[in-house]
Amino acid sequence: MANRQLIREILAKYNVELHIKHDDTTLEDVSSKLGSVFKQTAIVAPFTGVIRDVYARLGVKSTAEKIEDIPAPYEKVVAATALSINRNSLDLQQMLDVKQGAYFEVALAASVLSAEGRLEINLEESEGKIHVVAKSITPGQMYSWGRVTTILDNLFSGITDYLKTLSD
């Protein structure tokens, strides 16, 4: 890590600002859009949360992982990853310089079909390439119903797109 730039220095070099997206949607907004469906969901939602908590305590979780080796400089892959996180409106929780490279942790908001979870993104220099591992963990849920696969595909697509546009 001694000769590697810190994440914050890399982001400053490429003028990348990481931000946390705040959702200003209110309960009334959701209620007006969903109408009677919302009223039925409001009755069932507390039970769903309790069941999910029990499942989480039992160790039930859904995970998905995507791995790619990217033949690009470490600094550009870090910047492209940060830009892709922004482009996909993911909520950054943590960003760390680790011995092997970089670590990003992103919150995955709950949706109609899935519980909230997290996405861990590790970047590691290896033999002239950057080994990128993105893994999602959603406690208390057995299946992600394809949602996480889409998030992972969009993340890696964004990294690839931004690598084409970043200059040295």
Side-chain angles (χ1 to χ4, degrees), residues 17 32 50 54 79 82 118:
E17 290 185 34
S32 67
V50 169
V54 170
R118 72 181 186 279

Side-chain angles (χ1 to χ4, degrees), residues 25-144:
T25 305
T26 66
L27 196 57
E28 290 78 25
D29 295 337
V30 174
S31 178
S32 67
K33 289 179 184 174
L34 296 178
S36 64
V37 172
F38 178 75
K39 291 174 187 165
Q40 294 168 0
T41 305
I43 294 167
V44 176
F47 299 110
T48 305
V50 169
I51 292 168
R52 189 172 39 246
D53 289 345
V54 170
Y55 275 16
R57 289 183 185 154
L58 292 172
V60 173
K61 63 184 171 190
S62 71
T63 60
E65 185 175 74
K66 186 166 184 171
I67 301 170
E68 284 188 22
D69 287 323
I70 301 176
Y74 173 77
E75 292 79 13
K76 286 180 81 171
V77 177
V78 168
T81 300
L83 287 165
S84 185
I85 288 169
N86 279 348
R87 177 170 101 176
N88 289 290
S89 300
L90 298 172
D91 185 3
L92 182 69
Q93 299 294 301
Q94 251 188 110
M95 176 178 71
L96 301 171
D97 289 291
V98 293
K99 184 178 179 182
Q100 305 82 359
Y103 171 83
F104 296 90
E105 183 177 314
V106 176
L108 297 177
S111 72
V112 174
L113 293 177
S114 67
E116 63 185 30
R118 72 181 186 279
L119 180 63
E120 298 175 347
I121 307 162
N122 287 288
L123 282 63
E124 181 179 333
E125 290 182 275
S126 175
E127 301 172 12
K129 298 177 185 171
I130 308 304
H131 187 68
V132 181
V133 178
K135 180 179 183 178
S136 73
I137 299 116
T138 307
Q141 180 174 310
M142 272 190 225
Y143 307 103
S144 74

